[in-house]
Amino acid sequence: MSGQGQESTILVPAKDPEQKKSGNEDQDKKPNGDVSKGKGKDEGKDEPDISEEDLQLKTELEMLVERLKEPDTSLYLPALESLRTLIRTSTSSMTSVPKPLKFLRPFYDDLAKVREGWAESLKEQRSLLASILSVLAMTYSDTGKRDTLHFRIISQSTEPPGLWGHEYVRHLAAELGEEWGSYYASLVETDDKDDKEEGRRYDGDQLRSLALELVGFFLQHNAEADAVDILLELEYIQAIKDKTDEKSFERVCRYMVSCVPLLTAPDDRYFLETAAEIYAKFDRYPEALALAVRLNDRGLIRKYFEAPRNPIMKKQLAYFLARSEVPINWVHTAEGADTEGEDDPAPEQPEDVLECLGNVKLSTHFRNFGKAVGVEDAKVPEDIYKSHLEQTRTTVSADSARANLASTFVNAFVNAGFGNDKLMVNAPEGSSWIYKNKDHGMMSATASIGMSMLWDSESGIDHIDKYSYSAEEHIKAGAFLAMGILHSGVRPDPDVAFALLEEHVDSKSVPLKVAAMNGIAVAYAGSQRRDVAERILPHIADETNTMEVAAMAALALGFVFVGSGDGEIASTILQTLMEREPAQLESEWAVFMGLALGLIFLATQDASDATIETLRAIEHPMAETATVLVEVCSYAGTGNVLKVQEMLAICSEHAVEPKKEEPNGEVPEEAEPATAGAATTDAAPAAAAADGEGDVAMGEAAPASSTEGASAEGETTEEEKPKEKSLRHQGVATIGIALVAMGEEMTYGDPPIRKAVPLALGLISASNPQLSILDTLSKYSHDSDLEVAQNAILAMGLVGAGTNNARLGQLLRGLATYYYKEPDTLFMVRVAQGLVHMGKGTIGLGPYFHDGQVMHRPAVAGLLAVLVSFTDAKSFVLGKHHWMLYWLVTAMYPQFLITLDEQLEDKAVTVRVGQAVNTIGLAGTRSGISGFQTHQTPVRIGTGERAELGTNEFFPYQTVLEGLVILKK
């Protein structure tokens, strides 16, 4: 009780200000004190410390409001003018409401009623009062009524909204967005019940014309992001191109392009198309063309390629198209070419432009670059392995054919493009490396000549030709593959590869047939050539062919028509999948049929819907895998969150199914990365070896490897077979998550499908060794399940491809020691070492170029094909088909910046190279790189790096400095 008494004593002072206030009110009675009673309670608290000038302002405002209530209409305009001036000139701190708005709050409803009561004839007065009410509504209006917008529209004012200040414009923009949302909803819902009161219904044109006024204000005041955002809300983005000027267009376009991954179709296309139009309007053709290539739109690519009058700019654009491997016939029609069915064939391009388009000089540039960087000398595999640094535990010599095969690949990747390796090209007479390999190894060894002579068509053919007449079938097959590898990414005239390989597509021998098809696939990736399709299509449909031949034929066309959405090829592959016997679809090769379908629809988004529906109708586990492949390929690189969620859902499905494995009824969720110390570095490799034989050595890893389906050596019981098949489409889904999110900096949680997780990490970060990813892969590489370890080791090679990363080199040397008794895993370690030192650190595998903006479709095709083959490595790369590693050649490209003068001769200039910094949407002009070093060109530019010219002496024809850039003095 006493406590309550105390409380009541404390409450007394709270009433005190009330009394003061009533005293105050008596002192200065206002002409309309009655109004402020209802509204002004909260203002009573500020009353005591109101300053002299504020009091004066308040009295003045109240007098002006009184004037508007008087019957004399001649007083209205001067009073409104004064109100307007007072509101506009009031300065206030950032945090508080401007004083006039604060003092006018109590009269807000009165003023609205006053305006209603005025005659229609007082047009100017009504308009001006509506504008003032619109500003007052910012601080006072009930939420949800959108009065600021309402009064602005009914005022029909012609003065720009920006005169009322920045905050007002932003408030108006926010309400405009909300209003458009409800306007759009009312269009969709056709029923008549409209809960809006009369006079609050606006049509789309009113809202859009107001939006354009706001956009003009935003663009003048460096608020490009706000301008783009409001037009995005009103779905009117194309209107921005008339509003941009010299100063703002670049920031607008960069912001628009950075929004694209967050948009749904079709907004993403509109954004890219509009940005390309703005760039073209200001003669920035390289950027416009880059966006057209990103859209993969034939008409736009041709339009922007033909737009510039300057012949040198044309060559710069040709270099860009060559880098993106856009079909040449989109911009050039060769003499005597068949143009039937084309309503408007492209014009013939002059010789010098064609030379740039075909990337013919790539080899010369690359070798000069190698000399400049000091890596032109050939290396032998031992230089890469550095065996003297490995702590050898024993003198057991590994299976030497295996070791030689590994050296073949290391030699091919490390010396790629230099054409001077010591094992194959410059081998002393009579000691050819080819014969140090067994059967299938000979094929890969011969094919490695193509790798060594990469991009150098003329001298490469001389080296390869003699092997194509060999009596040994494998050597001959290798020569065909080498021919294709040699021409990857270059399109020389005359067109040699197809002429030499097309007859062998019909060869009776399966290895020759498959090699010729893959040679064509690699040489013409992305070229969309009809003559290639005509040669290879019949082999897909031919039911007498084995699944191997049909699948390789399909994949070859998947490479050539990557991202084209070609209906004819897709329907042929679908037809084959539907007609083949279920037993044939069980073949390990069938997955490549699905991959071929996926590649045809790469990054075409919803163009693949019909194909996916057809696949769902096929009742076979293979069709599930194919469906997933087509789905993820269609959305490759879009970052589409819904697709990622779908794939995560697929990944989690079967984690629950094999319940019978677990006696305690638990769901086998242990398949988290590296299974909590199951076989980390300190676990003896012998245990891992035992695991390879099919015995599970570690108790902890048992449930994990049982979820993996068959035990490592493949002693499969009948019960486990379907499970491994069911796992296949999940493995593909895991890779799919990385494919969809590719080009973004993110890794999703660890789905239980461990075999594919390392592959997915390798794809999402190719040639970009980020520490977090290396750590994860390093854990996986000691996994008790050898297949997981092998995939992790391959992924380490992909992530570090062409970076010479010292840390990775050290990790791989450690693994070589760790797995010295496991020939398969040791082979993978050697291949990974070769990949890390690819082109002696000058060639990368990154599927994105042009500052990470543009996806290189053939590169994605090559990477994806290798990763899919590794979902079943035993049947392919670790079996007899190790040549599949050469698919990576479509993704191999020199990581250089070479500056040329206008005569296309090398020109050394000073450039700064540093880590790229994202400056989109930031205020001011900021440097796009941080931590830079200054070099003379040519220089190497790795993934995530950017270059800027060091001086203002030269002007580049292309703003993104990478690849071949022409300079103007």
Side-chain angles (χ1 to χ4, degrees):
M1 194 64 201
S2 65
Q4 278 175 355
Q6 276 175 339
E7 270 176 29
S8 57
T9 55
I10 291 169
L11 283 174
V12 174
K15 299 260 189 275
D16 212 31
E18 290 287 318
Q19 292 159 356
K20 274 188 197 161
K21 178 185 153 197
S22 60
N24 254 13
E25 242 172 37
D26 287 318
Q27 281 165 14
D28 42 84
K29 269 264 187 278
K30 305 217 176 81
N32 47 311
D34 54 335
V35 179
S36 52
K37 258 183 195 153
K39 305 276 184 205
K41 275 205 171 147
D42 53 340
E43 284 162 26
K45 291 169 195 158
D46 304 336
E47 206 76 32
D49 48 276
I50 187 165
S51 68
E52 201 61 33
E53 51 202 52
D54 284 359
L55 202 55
Q56 196 181 342
L57 174 67
K58 189 172 177 184
T59 323
E60 190 179 346
L61 289 169
E62 282 163 2
M63 181 194 73
L64 291 170
V65 173
E66 281 305 303
R67 288 250 175 100
L68 297 177
K69 295 181 181 172
E70 290 170 15
D72 184 355
T73 54
S74 61
L75 296 172
Y76 295 172
L77 258 183
L80 288 168
E81 294 282 354
S82 308
L83 272 176
R84 174 166 69 179
T85 317
L86 283 169
I87 292 175
R88 283 195 189 163
T89 52
S90 69
T91 52
S92 68
S93 69
M94 289 289 282
T95 48
S96 63
V97 180
K99 291 273 169 28
L101 295 191
K102 185 169 154 189
F103 295 145
L104 282 172
R105 264 179 77 171
F107 310 112
Y108 175 71
D109 288 348
D110 286 17
L111 286 172
K113 285 180 190 133
V114 165
R115 185 183 176 282
E116 293 293 304
W118 284 354
E120 288 292 334
S121 55
L122 299 170
K123 199 166 179 192
E124 193 180 347
Q125 289 87 330
R126 285 175 67 101
S127 166
L128 187 46
L129 183 51
S131 297
I132 290 170
L133 282 166
S134 173
V135 180
L136 286 181
M138 277 203 299
T139 58
Y140 180 70
S141 171
D142 299 340
T143 46
K145 280 175 72 177
R146 299 195 271 277
D147 278 350
T148 304
L149 178 67
H150 170 68
F151 284 118
R152 171 75 201 179
I153 289 181
I154 61 172
S155 76
Q156 296 173 340
S157 164
T158 52
E159 57 182 17
L163 293 175
W164 293 100
H166 214 112
E167 195 50 50
Y168 173 69
V169 176
R170 293 181 59 173
H171 200 88
L172 205 50
E175 291 195 358
L176 196 54
E178 288 170 28
E179 183 60 47
W180 180 267
S182 65
Y183 163 74
Y184 193 73
S186 68
L187 291 184
V188 177
E189 295 163 12
T190 43
D191 47 3
D192 297 324
K193 59 174 201 299
D194 192 350
D195 51 0
K196 285 206 172 180
E197 53 192 91
E198 199 47 56
R200 295 226 169 203
R201 292 196 195 99
Y202 319 110
D203 62 9
D205 293 341
Q206 276 178 311
L207 297 176
R208 281 181 163 171
S209 63
L210 178 57
L212 287 180
E213 286 183 55
L214 301 183
V215 167
F217 175 82
F218 284 140
L219 291 178
Q220 282 162 6
H221 292 80
N222 298 333
E224 290 85 0
D226 294 337
V228 173
D229 290 345
I230 187 159
L231 288 177
L232 168 63
E233 276 191 86
L234 271 64
E235 300 176 6
Y236 197 35
I237 192 65
Q238 52 278 27
I240 202 167
K241 61 175 184 280
D242 303 325
K243 293 276 178 188
T244 47
D245 56 16
E246 281 285 340
K247 288 196 193 73
S248 62
F249 82 94
E250 193 162 357
R251 291 169 60 98
V252 169
C253 291
R254 286 178 54 199
Y255 181 73
M256 283 171 68
V257 172
S258 71
C259 290
V260 170
L262 310 171
L263 300 176
T264 51
D267 283 345
D268 50 358
R269 283 193 76 88
Y270 294 152
F271 260 56
L272 289 173
E273 283 166 10
T274 309
E277 281 176 41
I278 297 174
Y279 274 135
K281 174 177 151 189
F282 293 100
D283 294 344
R284 295 285 281 275
Y285 296 111
E287 285 92 338
L289 188 68
L291 296 178
V293 168
R294 197 167 155 178
L295 284 161
N296 204 22
D297 182 317
R298 181 173 184 167
L300 283 181
I301 289 175
R302 183 173 155 192
K303 173 179 157 189
Y304 296 133
F305 181 69
E306 290 174 4
R309 296 272 170 273
N310 181 344
I312 294 165
M313 177 56 99
K314 199 89 169 246
K315 288 176 193 168
Q316 180 67 71
L317 297 183
Y319 278 134
F320 181 82
L321 289 183
R323 169 70 179 99
S324 47
E325 288 184 56
V326 165
I328 286 190
N329 61 334
W330 285 9
V331 292
H332 160 77
T333 305
E335 269 180 272
D338 175 24
T339 53
E340 275 178 50
E342 288 188 34
D343 35 344
D344 178 22
E348 194 177 331
Q349 299 294 347
E351 272 301 304
D352 51 351
V353 174
L354 266 186
E355 200 170 80
C356 302
L357 266 177
N359 228 348
V360 186
K361 292 267 183 70
L362 182 60
S363 172
T364 323
H365 287 306
F366 176 64
R367 288 181 188 176
N368 291 344
F369 167 61
K371 282 197 188 89
V373 189
V375 293
E376 77 273 37
D377 297 339
K379 289 196 170 188
V380 292
E382 185 46 47
D383 299 337
I384 304 302
Y385 301 158
K386 300 197 167 81
S387 309
H388 59 280
L389 296 177
E390 294 172 8
Q391 300 94 21
T392 40
R393 307 186 182 184
T394 162
T395 50
V396 177
S397 71
D399 162 7
S400 69
R402 246 310 142 80
N404 285 355
L405 184 61
S407 298
T408 302
F409 282 105
V410 171
N411 179 56
F413 287 132
V414 171
N415 295 305
F418 287 99
N420 60 357
D421 73 288
K422 295 174 184 166
L423 295 190
M424 298 293 312
V425 178
N426 291 346
E429 272 303 307
S431 65
S432 171
W433 180 258
I434 294 179
Y435 296 104
K436 294 192 178 158
N437 290 281
K438 284 192 203 150
D439 317 337
H440 297 274
M442 289 180 170
M443 175 171 174
S444 288
T446 316
S448 73
I449 303 176
M451 204 55 135
S452 181
M453 305 299 295
L454 194 57
W455 308 309
D456 183 0
S457 177
E458 288 174 20
S459 47
I461 290 171
D462 301 343
H463 276 283
I464 298 165
D465 199 43
K466 57 184 179 210
Y467 295 108
S468 61
Y469 303 111
S470 166
E472 175 63 62
E473 194 175 57
H474 294 298
I475 295 181
K476 201 168 177 181
F480 294 162
L481 192 53
M483 199 63 82
I485 293 171
L486 178 68
H487 291 96
S488 168
V490 293
R491 314 254 166 89
D493 197 31
D495 182 18
V496 197
F498 189 60
L500 291 172
L501 294 176
E502 68 170 326
E503 55 182 301
H504 300 290
V505 170
D506 305 327
S507 162
K508 291 279 178 286
S509 134
V510 170
L512 293 184
K513 202 173 194 152
V514 169
M517 284 175 186
N518 276 292
I520 289 174
V522 170
Y524 296 102
S527 67
Q528 300 187 23
R529 283 182 40 169
R530 299 276 17 137
D531 51 347
V532 174
E534 283 157 21
R535 288 299 306 207
I536 296 182
L537 259 182
H539 292 280
I540 303 177
D542 185 352
E543 295 208 0
T544 58
N545 277 335
T546 58
M547 204 60 194
E548 176 183 355
V549 172
M552 286 295 105
L555 188 62
L557 289 183
F559 269 81
V560 176
F561 286 84
V562 62
S564 66
D566 188 291
E568 182 191 352
I569 297 170
S571 56
T572 309
I573 298 175
L574 274 173
Q575 200 65 34
T576 309
L577 282 173
M578 288 156 100
E579 287 170 2
R580 291 272 172 151
E581 299 295 316
Q584 288 179 303
L585 291 181
E586 289 293 323
S587 154
E588 69 270 23
W589 293 92
V591 69
F592 290 113
M593 285 272 195
L595 176 60
L597 270 179
L599 292 179
I600 286 170
F601 291 107
L602 187 73
T604 54
Q605 302 205 12
D606 45 13
S608 60
D609 290 355
T611 307
I612 291 173
E613 288 311 313
T614 318
L615 280 170
R616 287 196 172 125
I618 302 175
E619 290 174 12
H620 190 279
M622 173 50 227
E624 258 183 294
T625 308
T627 312
V628 172
L629 273 167
V630 177
E631 275 193 75
V632 294
C633 287
S634 309
Y635 288 88
T638 56
N640 185 309
V641 185
L642 298 174
K643 281 286 166 238
V644 171
Q645 286 169 341
E646 271 178 52
M647 294 307 127
L648 285 170
I650 290 175
C651 291
S652 57
E653 273 166 27
H654 288 273
V656 188
E657 260 191 22
K659 274 190 177 160
K660 51 179 167 271
E661 306 267 336
E662 302 294 288
N664 54 5
E666 275 179 27
V667 180
E669 282 284 307
E670 280 96 323
E672 283 298 300
T675 339
T680 38
T681 353
D682 46 4
D691 202 332
E693 261 43 275
D695 305 334
V696 178
M698 301 299 206
E700 239 181 303
S705 49
S706 66
T707 347
E708 287 299 315
S711 54
E713 253 328 272
E715 300 160 9
T716 343
T717 59
E718 279 308 302
E719 199 181 282
E720 280 175 325
K721 255 188 194 144
K723 217 182 309 143
E724 183 155 80
K725 286 281 176 231
S726 75
L727 188 96
R728 189 68 178 266
H729 80 279
Q730 289 183 287
V732 170
T734 310
I735 296 174
I737 293 172
L739 183 64
V740 173
M742 193 166 52
E744 299 195 18
E745 291 175 28
M746 52 167 141
T747 46
Y748 286 90
D750 292 298
I753 298 81
R754 294 162 63 217
K755 212 158 41 170
V757 171
L759 298 176
L761 291 176
L763 176 63
I764 203 167
S765 186
S767 282
N768 184 13
Q770 301 168 29
L771 283 181
S772 55
I773 288 185
L774 286 188
D775 285 346
T776 312
L777 288 176
S778 176
K779 280 189 202 122
Y780 278 123
S781 65
H782 294 86
D783 199 278
S784 57
D785 180 339
L786 277 184
E787 291 183 36
V788 177
Q790 286 155 3
N791 288 359
I793 291 166
L794 172 78
M796 288 164 94
L798 296 178
V799 167
T803 58
N804 283 353
N805 188 298
R807 178 173 179 175
L808 252 178
Q810 195 179 354
L811 287 174
L812 289 169
R813 281 197 294 278
L815 287 168
T817 316
Y818 184 79
Y819 285 118
Y820 72 101
K821 282 187 179 168
E822 287 293 329
D824 277 359
T825 320
L826 184 60
F827 171 72
M828 285 316 303
V829 174
R830 296 304 187 205
V831 169
Q833 284 178 310
L835 289 172
V836 171
H837 296 277
M838 184 183 280
K840 289 168 276 201
T842 55
I843 297 179
L845 286 178
Y848 279 83
F849 64 101
H850 197 73
D851 213 3
Q853 292 286 339
V854 186
M855 182 164 79
H856 185 213
R857 288 177 172 78
V860 178
L863 284 167
L864 205 52
V866 172
L867 295 181
V868 167
S869 74
F870 267 87
T871 54
D872 184 5
K874 285 223 155 39
S875 314
F876 299 120
V877 176
L878 298 177
K880 296 177 176 171
H881 304 286
H882 29 72
W883 54 264
M884 288 181 174
L885 287 169
Y886 289 129
W887 280 333
L888 289 175
V889 73
T890 57
M892 288 167 60
Y893 204 84
Q895 300 179 310
F896 58 33
L897 160 63
I898 292 180
T899 46
L900 310 170
D901 59 21
E902 298 196 339
Q903 285 69 50
L904 304 191
E905 297 298 324
D906 287 16
K907 174 95 191 144
V909 295
T910 322
V911 288
R912 296 192 286 264
V913 181
Q915 281 301 310
V917 181
N918 184 1
T919 56
I920 294 168
L922 299 179
T925 49
R926 305 196 171 207
S927 167
I929 56 177
S930 76
F932 57 82
Q933 293 176 318
T934 309
H935 299 281
Q936 287 288 99
T937 56
V939 296
R940 176 184 181 278
I941 298 206
T943 314
E945 291 183 333
R946 219 180 256 165
E948 294 176 353
L949 286 181
T951 59
N952 293 337
E953 188 185 347
F954 294 96
F955 173 77
Y957 275 91
Q958 177 174 313
T959 40
V960 176
L961 299 187
E962 61 180 61
L964 299 162
V965 177
I966 305 173
L967 301 178
K968 175 180 178 183
K969 196 161 176 84

